[in-house]
């Protein structure tokens, strides 16, 4: 779904569109920001490498592990935490954008990128954006499942989908 309408926004391998939310809110966002966040990466994990612009999530998962390991290094944590701060800002503005057409009261935070202290930083910054820029939305509640459930977020989300009723036919 549209998130960034800039024609030069990051593209993704599974859609002809640019600026999809997945490129800003998940592990692909973290891996795009990893180098700027001071994470030591091999050449095949650099943002412009073909591996990082293919449909496979495997190189992104491996890169995310490097980001999470760097977060545990006291010398690197201040710079690496900026990756999560940035994604949190994206999340805050994204929620506000979605509130233009959805009555959002609760946000369920899922996915591997939300694991550990980085996920806490993301939520903190998303809340800061809402409180500062959109105080009328500061009532929105953030919910996080256990660390294990965060990592299998798509399964949790799918299980939480409401049952659709069949349309009546004439």
């Amino acid at each position: 779904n549209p998130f960034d309408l800039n024609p030069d926004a990051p593209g993704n391998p599974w859609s002809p569109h640019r600026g999809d939310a997945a490129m800003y809110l998940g592990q692909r966002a973290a891996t795009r920001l990893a180098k700027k966040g001071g994470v030591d990466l091999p050449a095949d994990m650099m943002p412009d490498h073909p591996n990082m612009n293919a449909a496979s999530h495997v190189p992104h998962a491996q890169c995310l592990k490097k980001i999470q390991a760097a977060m545990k290094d006291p010398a690197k944590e201040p710079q690496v935490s900026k990756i999560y701060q940035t994604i949190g800002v994206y999340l805050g503005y994204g929620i506000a954008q979605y509130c233009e057409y959805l009555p959002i009261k609760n946000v369920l935070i899922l996915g591997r990128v939300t694991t550990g202290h980085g996920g806490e930083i993301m939520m903190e910054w998303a809340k800061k954006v809402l409180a500062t820029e959109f105080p009328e939305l500061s009532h929105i509640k953030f919910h996080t499942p256990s660390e294990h459930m965060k990592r299998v977020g798509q399964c949790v989300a799918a299980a939480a989908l409401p049952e659709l009723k069949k349309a009546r036919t004439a």
Side-chain angles (χ1 to χ4, degrees):
N1 46 358
F3 191 80
D4 182 351
L5 300 178
N6 182 334
D8 295 324
N12 65 51
W14 56 88
S15 166
H17 307 291
R18 304 185 78 71
D20 292 356
M23 302 306 289
Y24 290 87
L25 301 177
Q27 68 183 6
R28 287 183 184 258
T31 60
R32 273 191 315 104
L33 297 167
K35 182 180 179 200
K36 290 181 181 179
V39 179
D40 297 322
L41 299 173
D44 64 342
M45 287 187 186
M46 293 296 176
D48 292 333
H49 193 278
N51 283 355
M52 302 307 279
N53 294 292
S56 174
H57 293 289
V58 173
H60 295 280
Q62 296 304 316
C63 187
L64 183 59
K65 287 179 183 178
K66 290 185 175 296
I67 294 166
Q68 290 167 334
M71 277 292 287
K72 294 177 182 174
D73 180 339
K76 294 181 180 181
E77 191 273 339
Q79 183 66 22
V80 178
S81 69
K82 292 177 183 178
I83 295 168
Y84 293 99
Q85 292 171 13
T86 301
I87 297 170
V89 169
Y90 294 158
L91 178 60
Y93 279 100
I95 291 168
Q97 179 181 349
Y98 295 142
C99 283
E100 290 180 10
Y101 52 90
L102 295 170
I104 297 175
K105 296 177 185 170
N106 296 284
V107 177
L108 180 61
I109 304 295
L110 300 168
R112 279 180 273 202
V113 75
T114 67
T115 298
H117 184 56
E120 295 168 9
I121 293 170
M122 283 173 54
M123 284 194 302
E124 173 190 341
W125 280 80
K127 290 175 185 177
K128 282 182 185 181
V129 167
L130 292 176
T132 304
E133 300 289 331
F134 309 96
E136 70 278 11
L137 301 177
S138 61
H139 67 278
I140 294 174
K141 292 181 177 64
F142 288 72
H143 304 277
T144 57
S146 69
E147 288 296 323
H148 171 73
M149 294 306 281
K150 283 182 188 178
R151 292 184 199 113
V152 292
Q154 290 174 337
C155 298
V156 173
L161 290 173
E163 182 178 336
L164 297 176
K165 295 179 182 178
K166 291 185 179 185
R168 289 193 274 170
T169 56

